[in-house]
């Protein structure tokens, strides 16, 4: 029987797509802001206060993103339960380990090795996060989880490259106003954050589409 003749199926499919795009956009926005602010505070020279502030921002963002997963599978329960806090802590630790490895090794090898490690950490965290909300979910990672983790890790690599290897900024011609002249300047890390956000959206869209449909 044609799907067109089954409005219930069409309505459910459309609803799944709308929900998938909405939660993916929300998760990507949260992750971009959290990772971007944390990265901006701790990359390069850092103090104890900036490191602690960045850690707090990163953890809060991870906790909110974990909550988005619960909403995606229709279980928006208390985020402060121990196992759900554990999922947020695992995500936070993954980004910290990624930056530590990249800085410890340094250069292009550091970026490459840290990216591979982040793929593994994020894939494991995705599986754990799904187990937190769905007790009967598979233990082994799915292809969608690996692809989503890879996209996010590549986005992280773009952030590192934009800070470590790109010096040129985009500067607009002077814009004359009535009382002053304005020059727009776009730094490489800002472009890196935009690329990270786009990759995060694609990654979460693939992942949440599978979560919602299963």
């Amino acid at each position: 029987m044609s799907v067109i003749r089954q409005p219930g199926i069409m309505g459910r499919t459309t609803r799944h797509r709308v929900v998938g795009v909405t939660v993916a956009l929300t998760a990507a926005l949260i992750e971009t802001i959290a990772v971007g602010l944390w990265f901006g505070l701790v990359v390069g020279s850092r103090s104890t206060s900036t490191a602690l502030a960045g850690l707090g921002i990163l953890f809060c963002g991870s906790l909110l993103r974990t909550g988005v997963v619960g909403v995606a599978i229709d279980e928006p329960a208390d985020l402060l339960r121990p196992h759900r806090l554990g999922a947020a802590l695992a995500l936070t630790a993954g980004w910290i380990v990624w930056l530590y490895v990249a800085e410890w090794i340094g250069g292009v090898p550091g970026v490459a090795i840290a990216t591979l490690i982040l793929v593994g950490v994020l894939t494991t965290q995705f599986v754990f996060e799904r187990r937190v909300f769905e007790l009967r979910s598979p233990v082994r990672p799915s292809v969608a989880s690996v692809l989503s983790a890879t996209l996010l890790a590549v986005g992280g690599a773009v952030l590192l490259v934009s800070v470590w290897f790109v010096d040129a900024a985009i500067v607009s011609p002077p814009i004359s106003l009535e009382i002053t002249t304005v020059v727009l300047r776009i730094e490489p890390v800002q472009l890196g954050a935009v690329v990270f956000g786009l990759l995060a959206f694609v990654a979460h869209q693939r992942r949440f589409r599978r979560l919602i449909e299963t």
Side-chain angles (χ1 to χ4, degrees), residues 65 69 73 83 87 90-91 119-146 148-149 207 210-211:
R65 206 210 70 181
V69 176
I73 60 176
H83 52 292
L91 180 59
V119 171
V121 171
L122 289 177
T123 301
T124 304
Q125 195 273 338
F126 289 163
V127 174
F128 175 58
E129 195 173 52
R130 185 168 180 178
R131 290 285 295 178
V132 164
F133 289 98
E134 294 181 306
L135 296 179
R136 296 183 179 180
S137 63
V139 177
R140 291 183 297 179
S142 63
V143 175
S145 296
V146 176
S148 297
R207 182 178 175 227
R210 181 176 178 85
L211 284 174

Side-chain angles (χ1 to χ4, degrees), residues 69-184:
V69 176
V71 173
I73 60 176
D74 297 326
E75 193 180 334
D78 185 8
L79 289 177
L80 298 182
R81 293 181 181 178
H83 52 292
R84 295 179 184 182
L85 285 173
L89 285 171
L91 180 59
T92 303
W95 284 109
I96 293 173
V97 169
W98 163 77
L99 183 59
Y100 173 79
V101 171
E103 291 181 337
W104 181 53
I105 299 175
V108 175
V111 175
I113 294 174
T115 300
L116 291 175
I117 291 175
L118 186 59
V119 171
V121 171
L122 289 177
T123 301
T124 304
Q125 195 273 338
F126 289 163
V127 174
F128 175 58
E129 195 173 52
R130 185 168 180 178
R131 290 285 295 178
V132 164
F133 289 98
E134 294 181 306
L135 296 179
R136 296 183 179 180
S137 63
V139 177
R140 291 183 297 179
S142 63
V143 175
S145 296
V146 176
L147 289 176
S148 297
T150 301
L151 287 171
L152 282 171
V154 170
V158 171
L159 281 176
L160 278 176
V161 169
S162 68
V163 172
W164 287 0
F165 305 111
V166 181
D167 294 327
I170 300 176
V171 181
S172 71
I175 303 173
S176 298
L177 302 177
E178 292 184 358
I179 58 175
T180 186
T181 300
V182 177
V183 176
L184 299 179

